[in-house]
Amino acid sequence: MRDDSVANHPIRLFPRVQQCRHFKACHVTPARFQSASRVRADRCWPAGNGFPPGAYRDTRPSANIAFCPAAHGRRACSLAGANARVVRSAAAGAPAASLAESRPAPGALPKPPGQTITTVSGERIKDEPAFTVQDLLQESPGVSFKQGNGPRDIGISIRGSNARNGFGIRNIVVLEDGFSVTQPDGLSRTDLLDPHAYGGVDVYRGPASAMFGNYATGGAINFRLWRGDQINGARYGVEGGSFGYVNNYAIIGGRNERAEGAAFMSDVRGDGYISHSSFNTQTFNALGTYSLTPDDRITVKAIDNRLSTNLSTRLSLNQFQTNPLQRGCTNAAAAAPGCATVALFANGFSAPTVAQTADEAGFGRHDTRNIGGIRWEHDFDSQTTWRTQAVFDDKNINQPTGMTSAIGDSPSYNLLTNVTQRGNLFGLDAVQFAEVFYARQRLTNYTWNVAPGGGLGALSSFYDGGHHVNWGGRFREEVNLAPNWIGYVAAGVESTTIAAVNTIFTFPGGAAVPGYFPIQRDFLNYAPEGGMLYRLNDAWQFRSRVATGYGTPQISNLTVTAQGVSGNNSQLASQTNVGIDVGTDWTPHAALKLSVTGFYEFFRNELVTQSPGAGLQNFTFNVPRSVHRGVEVAADWRPLPGWRLIAAYTWLDQFYVDYTEQLSAGALTARFDRAGNKIPGVAPNELFTRLGYDQPFGPWKGVGAFVEYVWLDAFYMENANLLKAPSYGLFNLNVHYDTEIADDYLKGAIFFFEVKNVLGKTYVASANNITDSINATTGIQNPGSVLAATGTGSIYAGAPRAFVAGMKLAFR
């Protein structure tokens, strides 16, 4: 793990360039040296405008390029390394620092100075199992996780942004290799993300709508597939263990003079540790780049994910404490204590109801996701690049998850085009960036009542043929203000339209009678932003940033009432936030990195989602004003050879400033002022730490072990702050062996064994917000003891002690 404000934003923006005296001397340090004598001349082309006549560059896909004096000719052109910047030879008299970037690797995104960014390498999980993306992102400060609807559906939250959502990811833009995998309506899911596929992940923390647009109120995450030249052959891995878990996966990749590509495949199955939670999912993920000409590159992206999983019913706190893993819950009539049930209409459309367990009703998800993207990049000259990108994303769902089942196919497409110009502004090195974009999604959803015994009852509601459209533009200007200062300003403006006709059925006398409820909402949002980076010396760096974010409601928010049923909730407004970040990064030497960031964010009309009860749909409301503030700390220390200590700590304090909640029971209605109350779902303290040792030399080289400790503080589950999900601390223990192999076909092998939750702790892996209630006779708010018994539809337990073993093989 590293904070990219440390790694990628030194004031000396580029690695040092050694002057070319011989062919083999032309390279960029500290990037990996590659002898110019090994670089074929036909890979090098004239450098173009802005560089010394006769200078050459490497034009292979993804190559960032170094320049040598013309005197050394085409053969002196050498590869600079995957993350190097464009540099000019010292002999050419160019400045030692410039803001101009070279061609980035496919999917690499800009990293504005002052932006709080953490980069995690895929090497982080090379010696351990990786069931979900939580295993990959665990050490990122400010990032939290909760169990979603399915064993591999992990809700990711940045600074509490997604903590109140019942499933998937909201309020964060998710990308893969620069291609959006967040549909225009703002929903992302992690089922299609197998952590073994990724060579790195960039986490942008804090409001970032000036760069990522709608729904980036919490930030953004860009997952990057392993590059072809990083694989340079094939890798195969298998891991498995407790509760029937097994994952077989493979990735192949390579690179030649004009093309680079990698393709990943995995098959993941398991019985699940909670009753009725078996799963089966297959994923294909590929990325390829081809150089059409020295100035034109095409990048293509493809993802195919097929998911089938059973789902258990979420629990109340009392049910969790009685029977957290839902043992003995096959049949409602003979259910064990603590089993959760859902009331289903006996005739499929109206009362009376029948209590059913998840097994009896066949709750689950059966989804497919198909994503295809293409990106064309054209260099007008060495300073100006034009990029155009298109993504097609089709989400097809079949989800009997409670009283109702959502079924629908929602295709979408996302188009953008931008220009990046590297040059100067009033004599200062600068980068100018401008982009326009358009995204559209077909809104389709059929909500069916789930029938007792499984299957579908009557159609409850539907919308089909509607649309969600986002379009707008953004710009960014980065300037090297002084030798130790970099600053930037940015802004974006975006128009959003949500239009559909929600058809809701009633059943007087048993006949289905439709009612038509048209929805037409138009939103206009804008997002200014600015930041500064100051590098005091090689050890100390300081950054600050003021940024804004916005997120419009989704169609699912607008069509579910406070009772958790289909209806009109179309009055919702866009949520907006303004965030202030101040941070410092200390790197006294290569063995120690420490990063501390404080933030304060002001929200208007925050969208909060909560559950009205088991089996019902989650509903959403606006909170007029709220505050999110906190501190993030990341540390990476290597005190002695082979030893490494990693730690990530987050403190979050989030509370309502202006919010009055109305509760009803029978004929009584009461209003409660929630100002000053903590926002539910947000743990005030989170800690991850790992201490490991890997033998660096001798006959035991490659043998290693580590111990992890994960701690999550208790947090409130509802707005009145009467009921808390309990805190927990978990220990994980791992031993592994990583060895190189001198063979014509095999390059290396890794073997590992890990014990998860060593002490067998029973803990809450997910607790959706629940609704407070009042006494139907007195109108007095019910205490926490009542909520603990009645607040169903909230909790999934975490995994008990589990054993996982596996191996990974690398082939030439």
Side-chain angles (χ1 to χ4, degrees), residues 695-703 737-740:
Q695 178 63 25
F697 46 76
W700 293 94
K701 180 181 178 181
V703 174
Y737 176 53
D738 183 351
T739 181
E740 297 180 357

Side-chain angles (χ1 to χ4, degrees), residues 172-197:
I172 301 171
V173 172
V174 181
L175 307 101
E176 277 211 24
D177 301 301
F179 295 95
S180 177
V181 294
T182 296
Q183 286 202 302
D185 70 349
L187 179 65
S188 310
R189 300 203 84 127
T190 59
D191 298 281
L192 74 163
L193 307 177
D194 190 310
H196 301 96

Side-chain angles (χ1 to χ4, degrees), residues 653-725:
D653 183 27
Q654 302 188 3
F655 54 91
Y656 297 127
V657 175
D658 177 15
Y659 172 44
T660 299
E661 183 175 26
Q662 179 173 301
L663 300 175
S664 300
L668 296 180
T669 298
R671 296 171 65 85
F672 299 90
D673 184 4
R674 304 302 192 198
N677 284 16
K678 302 299 183 184
I679 298 176
V682 179
N685 294 281
E686 299 183 47
L687 173 68
F688 169 86
T689 184
R690 172 191 285 189
L691 177 63
Y693 176 77
D694 288 273
Q695 178 63 25
F697 46 76
W700 293 94
K701 180 181 178 181
V703 174
F706 63 76
V707 60
E708 292 178 341
Y709 178 68
V710 181
W711 176 59
L712 188 76
D713 204 356
F715 57 89
Y716 290 109
M717 298 171 60
E718 35 65 59
N719 293 322
N721 294 175
L722 301 174
L723 189 67
K724 277 188 172 184

